[in-house]
Amino acid sequence: MDQELLEKVMNQVKAELGAAATPAATVAPAASAPAAAPSMKGDATGIRKALGRTEFVGTSIGDTIGLVIASVDPMLKDAMKLGKFRSIGIIGGRTGAGPQIMAVDDAVKATNTEIISVELPRDTKGGAGHGSLILIGAEDVSDARRAVETALQVLPKYFGDVYGNDVGHLEFQYSARASYCLEKALGAKFGKAFGMTCAGPAAIGVVLADTAVKAANVEVVGYSSPGNGGTSFSNEVILCFSGDSGAVRQAVKAAIEVGKKLLGALGDEPKSTTTPYI
């Protein structure tokens, strides 16, 4: 009896194991509940799995997307003028150029990467200013990915002193120590404090530039107007300057105060996009 009972138990276990080993793929796709559309608000890892693309890193404010290419095709590599780099990180945004440049500047400081190019397309989703396209070069794709992740994480900070209403926008940036992205894109002096004022309509930007240089002892490193290069003919004026940290910050803060009053005269009180940091 004991032997017969044992055989029955063993046969039952084998049958159950055989049923459990049936491949899940045998279930027809139609029998499964439809998958929910991937959310674009989750973390980068979750979105990357949902999209099923290894190139995708994540998204951030300003309709900004972060991507990587592990190995650019040799023919395209030459056309893009990537130099020694095959692995690249890509930051692109519909709205904003200064915040993306500042964020990538931080990212390059923190990673083993270099700036390949910075382009400022006329965009802002129909507004007065720019979008952005920034290419980051790396020897290893993991470094490129880390740089893109870092830029996306810090980007909301640099939208803090971007103010807007239904008429236009103001943008102010400050860095205590400029690095390679600011140097390449905006002419900043490497290692020195950097400040930027920008406004659209361009008329307000002219006044802000004058306000900034009168407020403190700073050195102008760049001035861009609609027909003077650097703005893609957008309706804004941009001033970039360097100097001692305290002087640069003082110049930026003076321009912020004036800019909010002038843009406010054309519409509602300009509001910060996130939280001011200067």
Side-chain angles (χ1 to χ4, degrees):
M1 291 292 296
D2 291 342
Q3 184 64 30
E4 290 179 3
L5 179 60
L6 181 60
E7 289 179 358
K8 288 182 179 180
V9 171
M10 290 297 293
N11 289 335
Q12 183 175 354
V13 170
K14 288 179 181 179
E16 291 176 353
L17 288 175
T22 302
T26 60
V27 179
S32 303
S39 169
M40 297 306 289
K41 300 296 185 183
D43 66 339
T45 302
I47 300 173
R48 186 163 59 249
K49 289 179 179 178
L51 292 180
R53 299 296 306 182
T54 58
E55 298 91 346
F56 182 76
V57 178
T59 60
S60 190
I61 191 171
D63 298 303
T64 303
I65 189 167
L67 306 162
V68 296
I69 299 178
S71 181
V72 177
D73 184 274
M75 287 193 299
L76 187 59
K77 176 177 175 288
D78 293 338
M80 293 175 65
K81 300 178 181 179
L82 300 183
K84 64 181 180 179
F85 298 110
R86 291 196 310 163
S87 298
I88 62 171
I90 308 165
I91 292 288
R94 293 294 314 277
T95 302
Q100 284 85 349
I101 292 170
M102 295 289 290
V104 172
D105 199 63
D106 283 357
V108 171
K109 291 176 187 175
T111 58
N112 185 27
T113 55
E114 295 181 24
I115 295 300
I116 297 173
S117 63
V118 180
E119 298 178 65
L120 309 181
R122 185 176 180 180
D123 197 335
T124 314
K125 297 178 75 173
H130 297 103
S132 52
L133 173 62
I134 304 174
L135 301 185
I136 305 165
E139 297 289 344
D140 190 284
V141 67
S142 62
D143 291 323
R145 183 178 296 277
R146 176 172 168 76
V148 171
E149 289 172 343
T150 301
L152 293 176
Q153 288 168 2
V154 302
L155 184 56
K157 168 187 173 181
Y158 293 115
F159 268 93
D161 280 285
V162 177
Y163 304 83
N165 59 20
D166 60 348
V167 179
H169 69 274
L170 308 166
E171 181 182 338
F172 308 94
Q173 301 294 350
Y174 166 80
S175 173
R177 185 177 68 85
S179 189
Y180 295 106
C181 191
L182 284 169
E183 181 184 50
K184 190 175 189 70
L186 300 174
K189 294 194 172 183
F190 182 84
K192 297 200 68 174
F194 170 82
M196 187 186 86
T197 67
C198 173
I204 295 176
V206 174
V207 174
L208 297 190
D210 185 68
T211 300
V213 296
K214 286 178 176 175
N217 184 22
V218 295
E219 179 184 355
V220 173
V221 297
Y223 175 87
S224 300
S225 62
N228 189 36
T231 71
S232 299
F233 299 102
S234 57
N235 187 12
E236 57 187 348
V237 161
I238 304 168
L239 178 73
C240 300
F241 46 93
S242 292
D244 294 335
S245 178
V248 171
R249 183 184 286 272
Q250 180 180 340
V252 174
K253 290 183 75 69
I256 292 174
E257 182 179 353
V258 172
K260 291 170 71 175
K261 290 179 179 178
L262 293 178
L263 186 58
L266 291 172
D268 296 333
E269 178 186 356
K271 301 293 185 182
S272 167
T273 307
T274 56
T275 302
Y277 76 96
I278 300 174

